[in-house]
Amino acid sequence: TQTVSQSDAHVTVFEGDSVELRCNYSYGGSIYLSWYIQHHGRGLQFLLKYYSGNPVVQGVNGFKAEFSKSDSSFHLRKASVHWSDSAVYFCAVSAIWGNEKITFGAGTKLTIKP
Amino acid sequence: NAGVIQTPRHKVTGKGQEATLWCEPISGHSAVFWYRQTIVQGLEFLTYFRNQAPIDDSGMPKERFSAQMPNQSHSTLKIQSTQPQDSAVYLCASSLNWGQNTLYFGAGTRLSVL
């Protein structure tokens, strides 16, 4: 069974600040780890994913995430946030082989203050 | 590329009525996934198809929910005898090839059961 934990339900920062959204996972095999973003009233949009190689993955709009096997983590970071980054961010995990079902975390709502 | 299209965007039904939700995946994508999103439960996996064949329906409430994919261009999710607890946003997503592990989501159908 694969599980994803996002410890922060809400994160609030000022525009121009850096931000880290935390994600921890539990799974026994080889996995994909992904981040998705959901703006209010819309479907989810893919940001980035990791499955092997360089543990730092670059995504769109300045987002990047770092995989850590020792910590079972895949935290998302951005150096300088913009008001348009306000959204809910979901971490997700799925097996590399076999069933393609993707399991999502509970989400972190990021609010950017002007 | 019109993206994943879900219709209707909003549906209101009375308790006990049937609801059918439609999804048109991105042309050329061979997998369709259905998720349910609520404030309390978050994103719940329902079912998915690969090349029109049902692969995993482990998230489907067995008695009243059914999903089909009669051709490559659309999938339906049917809920019989709708109950207030079925009220949610139902999200459809498609994926290009097996192992891509990247979902492209539609905007969702908001189902309200009165």
Side-chain angles (χ1 to χ4, degrees), chain B residues 38-78:
Chain B
T38 62
I39 298 294
V40 174
Q41 298 294 333
L43 274 163
E44 296 177 278
F45 169 81
L46 294 176
T47 185
Y48 89 95
F49 299 82
R50 172 63 71 184
N51 295 320
Q52 299 173 236
I55 304 298
D56 183 344
D57 67 353
S58 60
M60 293 279 275
K62 296 303 181 190
E63 292 186 350
R64 298 181 294 106
F65 284 59
S66 63
Q68 294 184 333
M69 191 166 183
N71 56 57
Q72 291 180 344
S73 63
H74 88 274
S75 174
T76 58
L77 179 67
K78 183 180 293 185

Side-chain angles (χ1 to χ4, degrees), chain B residues 5-6 11 13 15 22 30 37 44 48 53 55 59 61 70 74-77 80 85 99 112-113:
Chain B
I5 299 172
Q6 290 190 249
K11 186 169 182 68
T13 65
K15 182 179 175 181
W22 293 71
S30 57
Q37 186 174 30
E44 296 177 278
Y48 89 95
I55 304 298
H74 88 274
S75 174
T76 58
L77 179 67
Q80 296 178 312
Q85 61 265 30
S112 298
V113 182

Side-chain angles (χ1 to χ4, degrees), chain A residues 32 36 49 94 99-100 102, chain B residues 35 50 56 99-101 103:
Chain A
Y32 286 105
Y36 287 76
K49 72 179 176 185
S94 65
N99 195 317
E100 299 168 271
I102 296 179
Chain B
Y35 286 83
R50 172 63 71 184
D56 183 344
Q100 287 287 308
N101 194 259
L103 297 184

Side-chain angles (χ1 to χ4, degrees), chain A residues 32-34 36 38 41-46 49 88 90 93-106, chain B residues 9 31 33 35 37 42-43 45 48-50 55-56 58 91 95 97-108:
Chain A
Y32 286 105
L33 289 159
S34 306
Y36 287 76
Q38 185 179 34
R42 302 175 72 173
L44 281 72
Q45 285 180 275
F46 171 78
K49 72 179 176 185
V88 181
F90 292 93
V93 63
S94 65
I96 287 180
W97 304 109
N99 195 317
E100 299 168 271
K101 180 176 76 173
I102 296 179
T103 300
F104 289 88
Chain B
R9 287 297 312 276
F33 295 73
Y35 286 83
Q37 186 174 30
L43 274 163
F45 169 81
Y48 89 95
F49 299 82
R50 172 63 71 184
I55 304 298
D56 183 344
S58 60
L91 292 167
S95 175
N97 295 317
W98 183 88
Q100 287 287 308
N101 194 259
T102 300
L103 297 184
Y104 296 83
F105 282 84

